[in-house]
């Protein structure tokens, strides 16, 4: 037994549950981590990067205003334009400073520095210019063009960064959702596999145990219970096994006792039967009619007792596998007709019609003729017992092709239109001493041993026997015998 077998059912359930929980926790942790990361990226785009672009655009606007005021001042010498120019210049400086704190790449920092330098050069040009005589106009125009294009370049760079970050966030979201999908798929598959294997490792031995219990209930031999199972089930199997052992022991003691008592009864009973026969033949002296009647009753009862004892002894022998079967090649057709002849008188007395449908090409069977005839007579007399007066019994025989290496079988079916067998009794009727409660209350003759003996005989011949019935609609008893098997020497056990 592997180490996994030692794991109890309780532990198995806990393992499966913990795996499921671990999968859920892992997937949730991964999802939260990725969601955080994507949110962080998006927040940065929305707060820092967008603010940065807006500020850069404002810077451009401030500079254009500053430029307009400066040029007007230089042409018109109006102090209002000058003070507006100074105000714009201050705004420009503080805006550049703010942008300096927002930008990230060295390229952007370089551009910010350049803009600062260009701005101070532009301002110097304004301060040094003599109103009315504008000599530095061309230089200022060059500086302002350079400053405007540098600011535009700064805006372009930041917009590129925003685009890159947005596509990063999108890629990350796609990757995360894919990973989540795989994680969920893998985790669920693992959890399902684990749940399936564990559930199977629990249900399989339990089913097997239940199957063996059903076999025991049907009176069939229980197979080995040494199978891989969780400790709780193994314990249950062991308890069940020791229960079977005890039952078998009890059964053996009971069988021994019955066989012993029957054996002890047979000798005096034989003496009684022979004595009665002698008296009835009037060998010791003549009898009057009353004496004859009493002796007749004695003969009948001792005869029944003798056949019951013989059945018990036969069954004991069969159970101990000590019964000898003398196999000879037999014709099924003759066997059936000879058995029917033996019950024909009773059938006529009860006005029961016997129908036969026997296949024309029935093969020879190698069987113990006396025992197989015993099976047939038992089935016929049971049918006669249970059909109503004027009923019907149908005997059919044919060959079945099971389509496997066991070859073909002769199948004999005995059907009657009697009261049938209740569904719950169908599996029990082949157990020894079983009689349906109705059978017992109606005081029909029988010992409950007939079908048990039939089953032993048929199994010993490697055949099968079973009953099919619908309560209230009659019953059919079926048995099979291997067709044309090789002949064994007389006296061989089958
Ligand atoms: P018995 O010798 O008491 O008839 P059997 O072993 O032959 O014992 O039969 C066992 C039980 O099977 C009977 O008590 C009866 O309930 C049932 N049985 C057998 N044959 C038939 C049948 N043809 N129709 C209905 N019940 C049957």
């Amino acid at each position: 037994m592997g180490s996994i077998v030692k794991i109890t059912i309780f532990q198995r359930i806990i393992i499966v549950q913990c795996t499921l929980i671990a999968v859920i926790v892992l997937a949730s942790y991964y999802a939260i981590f990725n969601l955080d990361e994507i949110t962080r990226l998006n927040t940065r785009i929305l707060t820092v990067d967008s603010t940065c672009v807006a500020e850069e655009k404002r810077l451009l606007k401030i500079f254009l205003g500053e430029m307009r005021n400066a040029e007007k001042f230089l042409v018109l010498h109006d102090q209002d334009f000058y003070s507006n120019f100074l105000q714009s210049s201050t705004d420009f400086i503080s805006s550049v400073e703010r942008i300096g704190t927002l930008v990230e790449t060295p390229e952007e920092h370089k551009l910010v520095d350049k803009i600062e330098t260009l701005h101070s050069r532009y301002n110097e040009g304004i301060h040094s210019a003599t109103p009315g005589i504008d000599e530095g106009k061309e230089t200022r125009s060059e500086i302002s063009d350079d400053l405007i294009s540098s600011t535009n370049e700064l805006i372009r760079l930041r917009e590129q960064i925003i685009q890159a970050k947005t596509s990063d966030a999108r890629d990350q979201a796609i990757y995360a959702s894919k990973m989540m999908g795989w994680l969920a798929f893998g985790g669920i598959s693992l959890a399902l596999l684990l749940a399936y294997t564990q559930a199977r490792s629990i249900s399989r031995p339990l089913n097997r145990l239940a199957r063996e219990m059903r076999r025991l209930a049907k009176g069939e031999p229980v197979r080995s219970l040494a199978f891989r199972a969780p400790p709780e089930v193994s314990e249950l199997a062991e308890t069940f096994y020791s229960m079977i052992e005890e039952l078998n022991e009890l059964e053996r003691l009971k069988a021994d006792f019955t066989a012993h008592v029957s054996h002890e009864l047979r000798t005096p009973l034989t003496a009684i039967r022979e004595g009665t026969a002698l008296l009835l033949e009037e060998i010791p002296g003549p009898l009057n009619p009353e004496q004859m009647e009493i002796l007749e009753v004695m003969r009948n009862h001792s005869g029944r007792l003798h056949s019951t004892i013989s059945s018990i002894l036969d069954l004991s022998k069969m159970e101990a596998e000590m019964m000898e079967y003398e196999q000879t090649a037999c014709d099924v057709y003759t066997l059936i007709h000879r058995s029917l002849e033996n019950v024909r008188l009773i059938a006529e007395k009860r006005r029961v019609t016997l129908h036969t449908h026997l296949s024309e090409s029935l093969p020879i069977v190698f069987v113990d003729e006396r025992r197989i005839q015993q099976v047939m007579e038992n089935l016929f007399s049971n049918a006669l017992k249970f059909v109503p007066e004027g009923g019907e019994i149908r005997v059919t025989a044919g060959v079945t092709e099971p389509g496997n290496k066991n070859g073909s079988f002769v199948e004999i079916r005995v059907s009657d239109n009697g009261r049938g067998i209740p569904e719950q009794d169908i599996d029990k009727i082949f157990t020894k001493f079983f009689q349906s409660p109705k059978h017992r209350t109606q005081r029909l003759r029988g010992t409950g041993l007939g079908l048990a003996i039939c089953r032993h005989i048929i199994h010993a011949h490697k055949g099968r026997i079973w009953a099919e019935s619908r309560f209230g609609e009659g019953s059919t008893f079926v048995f099979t015998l291997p067709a044309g098997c090789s002949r064994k020497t007389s006296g061989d056990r089958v």
Side-chain angles (χ1 to χ4, degrees), residues 378-379 382-386 416 418-421 425 429-431 434-437 439 444-452 475 477:
N378 201 295
L379 298 184
N382 272 353
L384 276 168
K385 238 187 303 187
F386 293 103
D416 64 63
R419 62 150 199 258
I421 306 160
D425 289 349
I429 55 172
F430 290 95
T431 352
F434 177 84
Q435 285 188 311
S436 69
H439 187 147
L444 290 170
R445 281 202 181 163
T447 53
L449 292 174
L451 289 179
S475 355
F477 283 80

Side-chain angles (χ1 to χ4, degrees), residues 82-105:
Y82 185 68
S83 44
N84 281 349
F85 157 73
L86 286 178
Q87 181 56 49
S88 299
S89 176
T90 320
D91 287 352
F92 186 96
I93 292 164
S94 63
S95 175
V96 169
E97 272 171 11
R98 202 165 323 133
I99 290 168
T101 61
L102 293 173
V103 292
E104 294 162 333
T105 62

